[in-house]
Amino acid sequence: MKTYTVLRQHYGDKQYMAGDTREANETDVKHLVTAGVLEEVGPKSEKAPANKAEKAAPKNKSAD
């Protein structure tokens, strides 16, 4: 089963409000994805690491 984010309120096996997550078989909710009611949740992407060198670099005094 895949996980979907609810974009618009609808009644499925229970009442879903916008912003909820729903797990369902892809074939069962294909029409809802096509209609823009559900959006498939993709794999979680990792947050880009912060560049520590930018914070530690001294201020360029000649730029003032």
Side-chain angles (χ1 to χ4, degrees):
M1 292 207 312
K2 292 189 176 186
T3 304
Y4 298 90
T5 301
V6 178
L7 302 176
R8 291 192 331 225
Q9 177 183 343
H10 71 281
Y11 185 78
D13 56 338
K14 66 174 193 163
Q15 183 71 28
Y16 291 98
M17 304 303 268
D20 290 346
T21 56
R22 177 178 180 177
E23 288 190 7
N25 291 326
E26 185 177 4
T27 55
D28 293 340
V29 296
K30 184 176 181 180
H31 65 285
L32 295 173
V33 174
T34 304
V37 176
L38 297 177
E39 179 179 54
E40 185 175 347
V41 176
K44 292 184 179 180
S45 61
E46 293 183 21
K47 185 177 179 182
N51 189 352
K52 294 179 183 177
E54 288 179 2
K55 294 178 184 176
K59 184 178 177 183
N60 187 354
K61 293 181 181 178
S62 65
D64 288 336

